[in-house]
C-alpha cells in the first residue's frame, strides 16, 4: 500500500438514534433508509466503528490500515509518538429532532481507569437551528453535589440547567465534567477526543418502542462532575475571510473558522494532519494539481505528509482542525 498521499474522505458511519431526525439526509445528503438518523461519524477510530476510505487510490482501506502503514506521515511525528496506531479525534455531524439526554463525559484519568478509554473533551459548531431551539450547557446557578442530587431525585433537574438559544455559527467548548445536551431542532458539527464514553443522567422519562427507558449512569456520573467550572463555554471568534480564525485551542485539538471566497495557498507546518469539515457551501482542495471536491456535510483528512496545498471556493465555510 504505497500510494501518494492526498485529501482522504471516508464513508460516513450513520447512527440511528431515538432522538435523531432527517436533516442529515435532506440537508447534508447522507443517503440512508434509517428512520431517525442522529449522527454521521465522519472520521472514527472507535473500536467497532473504524472509518473506511471512500475516495482515490486508498478506497476500501480502513483508517487503522492507514495509520499502520503511513504512521507519522499520516498524523505527524508528535501525534504518532503519543497515540501510536490510534487516531486521536472523532469527527461527527449531529441532528437532534428531539432533545438529547442530559449528560456529561469523564476526564482522561477516570475514563482510563474505568473504561480503558480517553476522556471526551468536545466542541460544537451550530450549522442550523430551528426557531427557538436550545443547547443546554452548565448550570444556571452555583452548584454542588448535594444540591444537584436533590434536584435529580426530585425530577427538577431542568430548573437548575442553563438553556441557551442558538443560531448558525454559535460555538461551544464542552470540557469534561460539564453537564450538557443538544436541544431539539439543532444540527451541528462536533469535534472530540476519540471516545464513546457518555454518562447519561436524565433522559426526559423517554421510552423506546417497547416501553423501555434508556440506561442512566448516575452512580458513575457523580464523580465525573466538576461543579466549580466557570461559565466560559461560549466561544467568541473572528470571521475574517480567507484566513484561519482561531476558535478553540486545547491539548486535544485546535479548531479554526475559515471562510473561503478565493483561491488560498496553505502550508502545513504543524507536525499534524489537518481535517476540513465543510459546514456551508462547497470548496476544492488542491494537492499537486489534483483536486478533491468538498461540499456541505463532507469532511476531508489531509495527511501530515502533505506540506503545501490550496483551497479554492467562491463562498464556503470550513472548520479547520489539527492536533
Amino acid at each position: 500500500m504505497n500510494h501518494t498521499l492526498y485529501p482522504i474522505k471516508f464513508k460516513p458511519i450513520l447512527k440511528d438514534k431515538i432522538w435523531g431526525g432527517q436533516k442529515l439526509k435532506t440537508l447534508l445528503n447522507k443517503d440512508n433508509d434509517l428512520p431517525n438518523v442522529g449522527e454521521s461519524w465522519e472520521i472514527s477510530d472507535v473500536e467497532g466503528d473504524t472509518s473506511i476510505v471512500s475516495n482515490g487510490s486508498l478506497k476500501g482501506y480502513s483508517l487503522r490500515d492507514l495509520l499502520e502503514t503511513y504512521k507519522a506521515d499520516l498524523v505527524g511525528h508528535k501525534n504518532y509518538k503519543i497515540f501510536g496506531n490510534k487516531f486521536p479525534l472523532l469527527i461527527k455531524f449531529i441532528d437532534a429532532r428531539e432533545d438529547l439526554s442530559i449528560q456529561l463525559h469523564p476526564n482522561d484519568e477516570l475514563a482510563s481507569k474505568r473504561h480503558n478509554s480517553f476522556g471526551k473533551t468536545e466542541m460544537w459548531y451550530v450549522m442550523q437551528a430551528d426557531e427557538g431551539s436550545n443547547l443546554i450547557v452548565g448550570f444556571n446557578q452555583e452548584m454542588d453535589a448535594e444540591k444537584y442530587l436533590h434536584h435529580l431525585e426530585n425530577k427538577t433537574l431542568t430548573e437548575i440547567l442553563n438553556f441557551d438559544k442558538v443560531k448558525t455559527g454559535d460555538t461551544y467548548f464542552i470540557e469534561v465534567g460539564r453537564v450538557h445536551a443538544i436541544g431539539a431542532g439543532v444540527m451541528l458539527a462536533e469535534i472530540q477526543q476519540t471516545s464513546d464514553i457518555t454518562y447519561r443522567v436524565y433522559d426526559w422519562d423517554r421510552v423506546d418502542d417497547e416501553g423501555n427507558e434508556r440506561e442512566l449512569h448516575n452512580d458513575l456520573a457523580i464523580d465525573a462532575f466538576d461543579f466549580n467550572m466557570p461559565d466560559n463555554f461560549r466561544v467568541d471568534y473572528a470571521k475574517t475571510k480567507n484566513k484561519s480564525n482561531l476558535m478553540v485551542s486545547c491539548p486535544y485539538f485546535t479548531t479554526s473558522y475559515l471562510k473561503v471566497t478565493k483561491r488560498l495557498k496553505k502550508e502545513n507546518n504543524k507536525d499534524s494532519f489537518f481535517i476540513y469539515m465543510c459546514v456551508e457551501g462547497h470548496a476544492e482542495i488542491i494537492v499537486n494539481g489534483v483536486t478533491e471536491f468538498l461540499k456541505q456535510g463532507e469532511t476531508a483528512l489531509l495527511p501530515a505528509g502533505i506540506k503545501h496545498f490550496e483551497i479554492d471556493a467562491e463562498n464556503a465555510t470550513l472548520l479547520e482542525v489539527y492536533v
Side-chain angles (χ1 to χ4, degrees):
M1 187 168 61
N2 189 11
H3 302 259
T4 307
L5 288 170
Y6 58 91
I8 298 166
K9 287 155 80 171
F10 297 92
K11 194 176 165 19
I13 300 167
L14 300 174
K15 300 281 183 181
D16 199 48
K17 298 284 186 181
I18 196 169
W19 42 261
Q22 290 298 312
K23 287 178 189 172
L24 297 182
K25 185 174 185 173
T26 56
L27 299 183
L28 302 189
N29 298 305
K30 305 285 179 190
D31 196 32
N32 69 89
D33 300 320
L34 299 171
N36 307 301
V37 192
E39 301 185 353
S40 175
W41 292 19
E42 297 289 299
I43 303 179
S44 166
D45 192 29
V46 172
E47 207 58 55
D49 278 309
T50 302
S51 292
I52 304 294
V53 179
S54 66
N55 70 328
S57 58
L58 293 166
K59 188 173 179 175
Y61 286 104
S62 72
L63 180 55
R64 193 63 62 85
D65 294 332
L66 302 189
L67 275 160
E68 287 170 1
T69 303
Y70 294 107
K71 301 180 165 55
D73 261 357
L74 188 76
V75 294
H77 295 281
K78 181 181 80 243
N79 288 328
Y80 194 74
K81 207 169 161 183
I82 296 169
F83 300 104
N85 291 332
K86 285 195 161 85
F87 194 75
L89 296 182
L90 175 56
I91 303 292
K92 301 176 180 177
F93 293 115
I94 297 178
D95 167 33
R97 183 177 46 88
E98 294 179 15
D99 295 322
L100 270 69
S101 61
I102 311 296
Q103 55 186 248
L104 74 158
H105 306 299
N107 61 24
D108 283 344
E109 191 186 353
L110 264 184
S112 173
K113 192 167 75 180
R114 289 175 175 172
H115 314 284
N116 191 26
S117 168
F118 296 121
K120 194 170 167 183
T121 298
E122 61 190 22
M123 69 167 281
W124 294 334
Y125 173 88
V126 176
M127 292 172 68
Q128 187 270 339
D130 297 348
E131 190 68 38
S133 49
N134 298 293
L135 293 175
I136 293 172
V137 189
F139 297 104
N140 61 19
Q141 55 192 265
E142 295 271 307
M143 196 47 56
D144 58 38
E146 194 181 350
K147 197 197 293 191
Y148 164 77
L149 287 170
H150 170 79
H151 283 280
L152 184 70
E153 280 153 22
N154 287 296
K155 293 212 184 278
T156 54
L157 199 55
T158 53
E159 291 175 16
I160 57 170
L161 295 172
N162 170 56
F163 289 78
D164 267 15
K165 283 214 177 345
V166 290
K167 63 185 184 311
T168 302
D170 286 351
T171 300
Y172 286 73
F173 180 47
I174 313 291
E175 292 179 85
V176 288
R178 193 189 294 286
V179 69
H180 62 276
I182 301 170
V186 178
M187 181 176 75
L188 53 75
E190 181 175 86
I191 295 149
Q192 56 165 87
Q193 288 173 273
T194 293
S195 167
D196 201 26
I197 309 295
T198 294
Y199 293 160
R200 201 181 289 133
V201 299
Y202 178 58
D203 198 29
W204 312 100
D205 305 315
R206 207 172 4 210
V207 292
D208 65 16
D209 297 342
E210 284 152 19
N212 303 311
E213 292 188 357
R214 291 196 296 172
E215 185 187 358
L216 299 180
H217 312 102
N218 282 305
D219 294 350
L220 293 169
I222 195 65
D223 297 338
F225 270 103
D226 181 346
F227 289 110
N228 301 312
M229 301 176 97
D231 289 344
N232 57 355
F233 42 78
R234 292 178 200 85
V235 177
D236 286 322
Y237 60 97
K239 293 185 178 177
T240 310
K241 288 177 182 169
N242 302 309
K243 69 170 286 235
S244 300
N245 298 275
L246 182 66
M247 301 167 103
V248 169
S249 183
C250 68
Y252 307 107
F253 52 81
T254 298
T255 302
S256 296
Y257 173 93
L258 181 57
K259 174 70 119 180
V260 185
T261 61
K262 64 180 187 183
R263 192 162 176 136
L264 306 179
K265 280 189 172 2
K266 299 285 287 180
E267 183 185 0
N268 178 358
N269 53 12
K270 300 291 186 196
D271 187 26
S272 170
F273 56 88
F274 271 71
I275 289 169
Y276 287 97
M277 302 181 80
C278 185
V279 293
E280 189 185 18
H282 53 90
E284 298 174 7
I285 301 177
I286 303 123
V287 179
N288 300 324
V290 178
T291 297
E292 188 56 61
F293 294 92
L294 203 59
K295 58 181 194 289
Q296 184 187 35
E298 290 189 327
T299 303
L301 171 67
L302 259 74
I306 296 173
K307 295 302 178 195
H308 297 276
F309 57 99
E310 293 174 292
I311 301 177
D312 192 11
E314 283 178 21
N315 188 18
T317 306
L318 306 176
L319 302 183
E320 176 183 75
V321 186
Y322 66 88
V323 173

